[in-house]
Amino acid sequence: MDKPLKNPPPYPIASVDHALRAATILQMEGGATVSQIAERLGVARSTAHRVLAMLVYRDFAVHGEDRVYRAGPVLELAAHSQSLASRLRAAALPHLHRLADLLDETVNLTVRTGDTTRFVASVESRQALRVGSREGMVFPAHRTTAGLLLLADLTDEELEEVYTPERYRDRPADRPDLARLRAELRRLRRNGFAVNKERSERGLVAVGVPVRDRDGTALAGLSVSMPSVRYDPHRLRSLVATLETSAHALETDLTVAR
């Protein structure tokens, strides 16, 4: 089995984690107040203020006269326009919260950039044993549920471009076997959903469906993640149906918002 990806380090530094997560929020969403950052990080306002002050000092953030912190020059984010990921996240959050309440498992919204996927929103389960938030984290696309869903939307030529050998010249072992990947993606297209059994992380199972625009193009992946000890294959069809209902509702909201 491949080694696990993105597991927490054995000696995590909370202050560093808070700063990185705050920077990610500013980059993806355009701006936030001290109170909003404190709520998202689960820390006191004083802690959030210190984190943001350090980001401002290092030019990862700027503090406006309206008391809103925004991404600074280091993050190179356009300050006056929301990214697609930001709009997707804003539209998806109400659906993610309802889905997490319904399933009592952690749910995620993920987008693809090249050969990687990025978790743009996570809502954690309330259970003691749960999959933690992956918000802001980046994984290889072919190793994640949503990544496979989004890769399945590509033609063979587009897939070849994503995994061109030149991109992996310095890390050939990271390039997937395209013949095997194409076969897997064909099965996924037929099924309309993806199941990830400990592919990205040991002890984790995820099930996902695509979120599409009105033209049918896959924009993101909507998934539920759970400890493998709680996964019941007999519930797969029910899980997929529940995810598809939420995905269709999100697609409707995105269409109305355009």
Side-chain angles (χ1 to χ4, degrees):
M1 182 186 296
D2 291 328
K3 66 180 180 180
L5 298 179
K6 302 289 188 179
N7 283 342
Y11 303 104
I13 303 174
S15 59
V16 174
D17 186 52
H18 292 156
L20 293 174
R21 289 178 61 194
T24 299
I25 291 168
L26 297 184
Q27 184 184 45
M28 291 197 302
E29 301 173 35
T33 64
V34 171
S35 296
Q36 290 169 333
I37 292 294
E39 180 179 358
R40 294 281 294 281
L41 299 183
V43 299
R45 278 175 52 90
S46 58
T47 299
H49 185 270
R50 290 195 297 272
V51 167
L52 290 165
M54 184 56 68
L55 292 181
V56 170
Y57 175 67
R58 292 297 183 184
D59 290 327
F60 281 82
V62 292
H63 191 198
E65 294 181 359
D66 56 359
R67 298 186 178 181
V68 173
Y69 289 83
R70 295 180 175 83
V74 171
L75 297 179
E76 298 181 346
L77 184 71
H80 301 293
S81 64
Q82 285 188 307
S83 67
L84 173 61
S86 175
R87 295 196 300 273
L88 276 170
R89 185 183 187 282
L93 273 176
H95 300 285
L96 293 181
H97 281 287
R98 284 193 290 270
L99 194 56
D101 287 341
L102 181 63
L103 299 176
D104 203 12
E105 298 289 359
T106 298
V107 293
N108 305 289
L109 186 77
T110 312
V111 297
R112 180 184 68 86
T113 302
D115 62 350
T116 64
T117 49
R118 183 173 190 171
F119 286 73
V120 296
S122 288
V123 176
E124 286 191 17
S125 163
R126 293 185 299 271
Q127 300 197 61
L129 176 63
R130 63 182 183 272
V131 177
S133 171
R134 300 297 188 262
E135 188 170 300
M137 297 175 73
V138 176
F139 289 79
H142 68 285
R143 299 286 296 276
T144 67
T145 310
L148 290 170
L149 290 165
L150 298 170
L151 290 172
D153 213 45
L154 303 179
T155 65
D156 283 351
E157 292 75 17
E158 290 170 333
L159 190 68
E160 186 73 38
E161 179 63 26
V162 169
Y163 291 105
T164 179
E166 289 75 17
R167 177 176 292 176
Y168 292 86
R169 184 178 293 112
D170 297 327
R171 48 188 181 102
D174 292 342
R175 185 172 184 259
D177 182 317
L178 289 195
R180 292 178 58 185
L181 182 58
R182 287 193 186 97
E184 183 174 14
L185 296 179
R186 283 195 294 269
R187 290 193 298 270
L188 192 153
R189 290 188 199 103
R190 290 195 297 269
N191 294 335
F193 62 88
V195 180
N196 177 346
K197 296 180 180 179
E198 300 188 327
R199 183 171 185 151
S200 55
E201 298 180 62
R202 292 192 184 112
L204 182 154
V205 175
V207 179
V209 300
V211 176
R212 301 185 181 277
D213 65 14
R214 58 185 176 186
D215 297 322
T217 301
L219 297 174
L222 179 65
S223 62
V224 56
S225 301
M226 66 200 76
S228 57
V229 295
R230 260 202 317 268
Y231 175 65
D232 180 359
H234 296 98
R235 292 185 58 217
L236 177 59
R237 288 293 174 184
S238 174
L239 282 174
V240 170
T242 302
L243 287 167
E244 287 178 337
T245 298
S246 293
H248 293 330
L250 173 55
E251 290 166 354
T252 299
D253 287 353
L254 290 170
T255 299
V256 171
R258 288 182 62 173

